[in-house]
Amino acid sequence: MEFLRSEDTTFSRDWQLNIRGKLFTISSPQVMGIINCTPDSFYKNSQKSTPEEQRSLIDLHIRNGATWLDLGGYSTRPGAGHISEKEEIKRIEPALSYILEMYPEILVSVDTFQAAVASYALEKGAHMINDVSGGLIDSGLFSVVSRFQVPYVLMHMRGTPQNMAQQNQYTNILQEVIYELGIQKEKALQAGIKDILIDPGFGFAKNGEQNLELFSRMEAFQLFDCPILVGNSRKSMIYKTLQIEAEDSLNGTTVLNTLALDKGASILRVHDVKEAVETVKLWERVRKS
């Protein structure tokens, strides 16, 4: 399989997304701030399970320059417990309502693989669904996204958050991830989803070495002719490699975010918006020199 060379991979085109009938253009890399509405996360400082904590973080992300906010009520930490759709909705409702009321200009992504949660969020006014399962867990999700005509983040994962750590057997990780994403992308298109973003799924059904190998060849995902969303923020591929804790991995995150921009990332999904926005600004300034 022939892939793009590194010199062909920098951000070089505008992407247009249809969000509920309105055209939204990604003309330069953007930053998506994580709002973790759960009491469970691999990065403890991101746990914002009360409405007060969530509102404070939302305000901070927006002040620091986030274009998108990504709300998640279901912990996808490896081995995390399952929760019901009802509980997931309960967790995200205060944050979703606050953003839509106070910051109508901000784009809201909801991180869910459950169709009922996606339907609730889109009925309320969310702008995108970020599905870590790539449509493999809930077969009804594609039709929900299609009905509302919003963009859809198709991420690579195998299994579920409860068992994905045991699903990391690959012969050729790059080819297999691209192949599996390709199958799900075609299903999403056939279901009527028009605007798809691709997420390689770092940390999901992949061990540390596999994550780094996949990242080193991330430019290959431009084969999909879709915007690429990258979520490396404070993950184990950083802190285990450096033998530190997630709380100490901001510097490593910035390094990988910079490399991700070189490899064609359109959206950086991060815990630390200020640092990511600064990374994009400097990267763009150097690139234009």
Side-chain angles (χ1 to χ4, degrees), residues 128-259:
M128 183 164 73
I129 295 300
N130 179 12
D131 175 14
V132 299
S133 81
L136 289 171
I137 293 179
D138 189 334
S139 60
L141 190 56
F142 284 165
S143 63
V144 169
V145 176
S146 175
R147 175 158 50 92
F148 285 90
Q149 285 300 294
V150 295
Y152 171 75
V153 180
L154 175 67
M155 196 192 85
H156 179 269
M157 184 175 76
R158 290 176 174 178
T160 68
Q162 290 74 42
N163 63 23
M164 64 181 175
Q166 290 76 49
Q167 309 291 320
N168 62 354
Q169 291 77 41
Y170 301 92
T171 301
N172 183 315
I173 188 167
L174 179 63
Q175 290 188 7
E176 291 174 56
V177 168
I178 286 177
Y179 175 75
E180 291 166 19
L181 279 172
I183 291 173
Q184 293 307 108
K185 181 188 176 187
E186 184 59 31
K187 290 179 181 178
L189 291 171
Q190 290 177 0
I193 298 176
K194 302 290 196 304
D195 295 282
I196 297 173
L197 298 86
I198 293 293
D199 183 341
F202 298 112
F204 289 78
K206 303 165 189 74
N207 64 33
E209 288 300 317
Q210 291 166 339
N211 284 317
L212 292 171
E213 178 183 351
L214 195 63
F215 184 88
S216 74
R217 304 174 71 188
M218 199 188 83
E219 59 270 20
F221 289 90
Q222 293 185 58
L223 289 169
F224 288 107
D225 195 31
C226 296
I228 299 172
L229 185 150
V230 174
N232 293 312
S233 185
R234 296 182 179 269
K235 287 185 175 177
S236 63
M237 63 188 287
I238 298 169
Y239 65 79
K240 288 186 178 179
T241 299
L242 299 176
Q243 298 182 346
I244 56 178
E245 301 297 327
E247 288 71 20
D248 302 316
S249 59
L250 175 56
N251 186 55
T253 298
T254 299
V255 170
L256 290 195
N257 279 340
T258 305
L259 293 172

Side-chain angles (χ1 to χ4, degrees), residues 53-71:
E53 291 174 327
Q54 293 163 13
R55 288 194 292 267
S56 178
L57 183 59
I58 289 164
D59 294 342
L60 178 64
H61 280 346
I62 291 172
R63 286 199 306 272
N64 285 338
T67 300
W68 299 82
L69 295 179
D70 191 45
L71 307 183

Side-chain angles (χ1 to χ4, degrees), residues 64-119:
N64 285 338
T67 300
W68 299 82
L69 295 179
D70 191 45
L71 307 183
Y74 190 114
S75 176
T76 52
R77 174 185 60 80
H82 176 73
I83 63 169
S84 68
E85 295 165 332
K86 182 178 179 180
E87 176 63 22
E88 188 177 350
I89 290 171
K90 179 181 176 182
R91 289 180 177 182
I92 67 170
E93 192 281 329
L96 179 58
S97 296
Y98 179 72
I99 299 167
L100 294 173
E101 178 182 356
M102 300 301 296
Y103 300 104
E105 75 283 4
I106 292 295
L107 294 168
V108 182
S109 166
V110 174
D111 182 354
T112 186
F113 53 78
Q114 302 197 93
V117 179
S119 182

Side-chain angles (χ1 to χ4, degrees), residues 22-34:
K22 294 182 179 180
L23 203 61
F24 175 76
T25 302
I26 302 177
S27 56
S28 63
Q30 297 177 348
V31 174
M32 172 183 282
I34 297 168

